[in-house]
Amino acid sequence: MNLQFGDVNHNVNDMLEHFNNVSLNVLDNYAPSATRSRRVRPRPPWYDEQIRAEKLEQRRLERKWMKSKQDDYRDAYRKQHVHYIKAVEASKKQYYNEKLLGAGAKETFQIIGVLLNQSVRILPTLYTPDVLSTKFGHFFTEKVDNIRASISSDSNVDSNFYCTDDMYTDVVIQNDLVCFRKLTQKEVRNIIMGCTNKSCHLDCLPTWLLKENIDVVLPRITQIVNTSITCGVFPDYLKQAIVTPVLKKITLDWNEFKNYRPVSNIAFMGKIIEKAAIVQVNEHMQANDLEEVYQSAYKTKHSTETALLKVKNDITLALDDDMAAFLIMLDLSAAFDTIDHDILLLRLEHGFGIKEFLLLA
């Protein structure tokens, strides 16, 4: 029987292919492949190569001690563990010191919140998630309704009493704001890039990804923003929000709904349209000198820090003049949710010169 080399090679390949197929079938039957996801947690910013090396050495000594049960390895492991803990503390201290040195007021409070673990979400444990969300919704809605009802029953004065032209005789408005102008792509870009990377579950793209591809989506976003502010139409979809209950203080009772405040997060596109309108309202107020002198909230280059400095300065000056100082603080419950819209519109018209189309929108 004469076999050529090519025939032998062909037969061997056939046999190998048959063997591989049989092997794969056996593996599929007894050890089927499965896909498993592994969550990769990002390292903390203070975790450097030196800390990693110290941790690896600690684990190496721990394995030796567990395997040999010798006191020398146990002592070496404990010594290395103490050394590792000190290295972590030193690295954290150096990192946060550098962050705080160059941080503003907002960044400082954010860093302190991280150090105090204030970002941890705490919710009542007495209910299932579905029941809990329903109860929170009813509680927040009833809270606002009750406050509105109490305000209405206590006040018998018509809303027009608070907003008449006689109250604003000292206000000089050169030009009324009756419509919004279209923004340029550069202005919309500045608004987008000036926002934080915080995203909402209602967003189709995470904010950081949108920023990285800003040149591609900027023309369409600019068109949407200009259409909204010039036509006076805010899309219904963008009026939806993800409401998260946040515990007011870590020491309060977790199971009491009154100890929580609702935090709303809207889609990123809604935030851009809001800021496009706010930019022009601020320009109008600055041009007509309508800004409140002692206001610190929602004002450029002002914050809680400027408010505290003003209060401290006034108290210090009073004490230097041998005068008594009294501080009266007013805390309004659900202040923004209980604003009377009729009074707000009248004040915008008579006190700030925002009229016609913008009020109707």
Side-chain angles (χ1 to χ4, degrees):
M1 182 177 178
N2 296 323
L3 293 176
Q4 300 296 328
F5 178 76
D7 296 334
V8 175
N9 188 37
H10 179 72
N11 292 335
V12 171
N13 288 334
D14 289 342
M15 287 187 291
L16 288 174
E17 184 179 356
H18 177 71
F19 175 77
N20 290 333
N21 291 333
V22 172
S23 300
L24 290 175
N25 291 332
V26 172
L27 288 175
D28 290 339
N29 291 332
Y30 294 97
S33 60
T35 302
R36 299 198 175 168
S37 59
R38 179 173 175 265
R39 184 177 180 183
V40 179
R41 295 185 178 180
R43 292 180 178 178
W46 47 262
Y47 192 95
D48 54 19
E49 290 299 323
Q50 180 182 357
I51 300 297
R52 181 175 180 273
E54 297 288 351
K55 188 172 183 178
L56 291 176
E57 178 64 15
Q58 173 185 293
R59 288 182 173 178
R60 186 184 69 84
L61 292 174
E62 183 182 16
R63 287 194 298 269
K64 282 193 173 183
W65 169 47
M66 296 300 294
K67 184 177 181 180
S68 64
K69 301 299 181 181
Q70 295 182 8
D71 293 341
D72 292 341
Y73 284 124
R74 182 194 61 185
D75 295 339
Y77 162 70
R78 290 180 174 178
K79 183 177 180 181
Q80 177 61 27
H81 177 69
V82 173
H83 187 68
Y84 167 71
I85 295 299
K86 290 183 178 179
V88 169
E89 292 177 352
S91 181
K92 284 184 178 180
K93 183 177 180 180
Q94 180 181 356
Y95 170 77
Y96 286 112
N97 280 338
E98 293 176 354
K99 292 282 289 184
L100 289 170
L101 286 176
K106 181 178 180 180
E107 291 80 6
T108 300
F109 281 109
Q110 289 176 346
I111 295 172
I112 293 175
V114 171
L115 293 175
L116 297 178
N117 292 324
Q118 293 181 350
S119 59
V120 179
R121 293 181 180 177
I122 302 173
L123 295 174
T125 57
L126 302 178
Y127 310 98
T128 62
D130 292 340
V131 174
L132 182 61
S133 61
T134 302
K135 285 186 173 292
F136 262 123
H138 290 325
F139 173 78
F140 290 138
T141 302
E142 291 174 359
K143 176 183 177 181
V144 174
D145 291 341
N146 292 335
I147 295 176
R148 284 182 176 274
S150 63
I151 294 175
S152 300
S153 61
D154 294 339
S155 178
N156 296 320
V157 183
D158 183 59
S159 60
N160 290 305
F161 174 81
Y162 297 99
C163 305
T164 60
D165 290 329
D166 295 337
M167 297 181 62
Y168 298 99
T169 55
D170 297 334
V171 178
V172 179
I173 302 176
Q174 301 295 335
N175 297 299
D176 292 334
L177 184 63
V178 296
C179 63
F180 288 134
R181 61 175 176 82
K182 291 185 177 181
L183 299 184
T184 63
Q185 290 190 16
K186 182 179 179 181
E187 290 175 315
V188 176
R189 175 193 285 270
N190 291 337
I191 291 175
I192 295 174
M193 301 309 292
C195 295
T196 62
N197 286 337
K198 184 178 180 180
S199 297
C200 176
H201 291 297
L202 300 174
D203 293 325
C204 57
L205 286 177
T207 305
W208 64 266
L209 183 60
L210 185 145
K211 288 184 177 181
E212 288 188 359
N213 298 275
I214 185 66
D215 294 330
V216 179
V217 298
L218 183 60
R220 183 54 59 88
I221 292 179
T222 304
Q223 180 183 8
I224 295 173
V225 171
N226 286 331
T227 302
S228 177
I229 63 177
T230 56
C231 295
V233 177
F234 196 84
D236 292 337
Y237 171 74
L238 298 180
K239 296 178 183 179
Q240 300 178 19
I242 302 296
V243 181
T244 304
V246 177
L247 192 65
K248 296 178 181 178
K249 200 173 182 180
I250 194 68
T251 56
L252 297 176
D253 186 358
W254 300 359
N255 295 310
E256 287 288 340
F257 289 164
K258 65 180 181 180
N259 295 331
Y260 290 82
R261 58 184 176 90
V263 176
S264 299
N265 189 14
I266 64 175
F268 186 67
M269 182 60 70
K271 297 176 183 178
I272 298 175
I273 297 175
E274 285 183 353
K275 290 182 180 294
I278 291 172
V279 166
Q280 300 190 50
V281 171
N282 287 337
E283 290 175 352
H284 169 74
M285 294 181 65
Q286 292 172 4
N288 293 277
D289 196 21
L290 297 173
E291 292 184 318
E292 177 62 40
V293 177
Y294 299 112
Q295 177 182 340
S296 287
Y298 309 105
K299 189 176 179 181
T300 306
K301 297 181 180 179
H302 289 72
S303 64
T304 53
E305 186 175 356
T306 56
L308 290 173
L309 287 174
K310 170 64 178 172
V311 172
K312 181 180 179 182
N313 182 69
D314 290 346
I315 294 175
T316 303
L317 292 177
L319 295 178
D320 288 343
D321 293 337
D322 295 329
M323 298 172 63
F326 294 90
L327 179 62
I328 300 176
M329 305 182 71
L330 179 64
D331 183 16
L332 300 177
S333 180
F336 287 98
D337 295 326
T338 54
I339 291 176
D340 188 298
H341 289 181
D342 293 332
I343 296 178
L344 175 61
L345 292 175
L346 288 170
R347 291 200 62 184
L348 290 175
E349 180 180 2
H350 295 277
F352 297 93
I354 301 176
K355 300 181 177 181
E356 298 179 12
F357 170 76
L358 295 185
L359 291 182
L360 296 175

